Amino acid sequence: MIIDVKNMKGEKVQEVELPAYIFEAPILVDLMHQAYVRQMANARVGTHETKTRHEVAGGGRKPFKQKGTGRARQGSIRAAQWKGGGRVHTPHMRDYTQAMPRKMRRAALRSALSVKASESEIVVVDELKLDAPKTKLMAQALNKLVGTDTALVLVPDLESTADVVRATGNLADAKILLANYLNIRDLLKFDKVVLPLAAIDTIASYLG
């Protein structure tokens, strides 16, 4: 796939051929869905907890005698029907982690990148560079590159793009992400992917 390479002003400066095995891979919708569900599940902490009748303090004795009161029999004031009692069928701590083989995860990423490429949602830039680490300059650059769409900006490393990383921090519609941290959730969340030439090699080595 041949795609235009732009500078930070949105001007075409050259062309580049994207690796076909990554950006023209088979689009597997079910696999992308499985990878997305896995990532969202693995992000859950699972620390929600409620107390059952055995964990609530108090209620050690029978509240009133079994017979002769005319009331329904009760064994403890910590039963679920009592105020302050335990809870039934409520959440407890658990592990939501889902396993997924590495080959399947990477195949899902290749599918997502292929979808982006087929819909012209990948913007390749020659170099991510700003005159100063200012949000205004980065906003202007993204406006020329992606217009009003949201953008996932991939960077090869944090040292050479420190100004860009700092300038993007306050932009609500953009996110900086290391290329080797590419994930299915961010790919599907943002409209466009801004990809510098230096990050293509990183993705190729990661997904190759």
Side-chain angles (χ1 to χ4, degrees):
M1 176 180 292
I2 305 297
I3 190 171
D4 295 340
V5 179
K6 301 179 180 180
N7 57 22
M8 294 294 282
K9 297 180 181 179
E11 303 168 343
K12 178 181 176 181
V13 293
Q14 65 182 85
E15 292 182 343
V16 68
E17 183 176 1
L18 298 178
Y21 65 92
I22 295 178
F23 296 92
E24 296 181 61
I27 298 176
L28 307 173
V29 178
D30 292 344
L31 193 62
M32 288 190 291
H33 177 265
Q34 181 180 348
Y36 181 83
V37 171
R38 170 194 171 271
Q39 183 175 349
M40 298 301 292
N42 291 357
R44 299 185 68 174
V45 180
T47 54
H48 40 43
E49 177 66 17
T50 54
K51 291 185 177 181
T52 65
R53 62 180 296 172
H54 303 292
E55 298 167 319
V56 178
R61 66 181 179 85
K62 191 174 178 65
F64 46 82
K65 64 181 183 178
Q66 180 85 346
K67 295 180 178 294
T69 65
R71 301 176 63 183
R73 55 194 175 188
Q74 301 292 334
S76 172
I77 61 172
R78 291 301 173 240
Q81 69 270 21
W82 287 75
K83 179 181 179 181
R87 296 292 179 263
V88 183
H89 305 309
T90 46
H92 297 284
M93 292 182 65
R94 56 166 290 192
D95 183 10
Y96 287 91
T97 302
Q98 296 183 14
M100 188 175 183
R102 181 187 301 174
K103 288 185 177 180
M104 293 177 65
R105 299 198 305 266
R106 293 185 176 179
L109 288 177
R110 288 192 291 268
S111 293
L113 287 171
S114 298
V115 171
K116 291 290 186 183
S118 65
E119 297 179 356
S120 301
E121 293 180 349
I122 292 182
V123 180
V124 179
V125 295
D126 57 350
E127 185 180 11
L128 287 175
K129 188 175 181 180
L130 296 174
D131 296 333
K134 294 185 178 181
T135 302
K136 180 180 179 181
L137 297 179
M138 189 63 187
Q140 292 174 348
L142 288 178
N143 185 51
K144 294 175 181 177
L145 291 171
V146 302
T148 58
D149 293 331
T150 59
L152 176 65
V153 183
L154 300 179
V155 295
D157 58 81
L158 297 179
E159 295 180 1
S160 63
T161 57
D163 289 349
V164 174
V165 172
R166 184 177 178 183
T168 312
N170 286 333
L171 294 177
D173 295 331
K175 178 180 179 178
I176 289 285
L177 185 69
L178 283 170
N180 56 353
Y181 285 179
L182 189 62
N183 60 85
I184 194 75
R185 180 182 64 179
D186 287 329
L187 276 177
L188 299 180
K189 178 180 179 181
F190 292 90
D191 299 325
K192 297 289 181 65
V193 177
V194 178
L195 184 63
L197 288 173
I200 296 179
D201 295 335
T202 303
I203 294 177
S205 63
Y206 176 64
L207 297 178

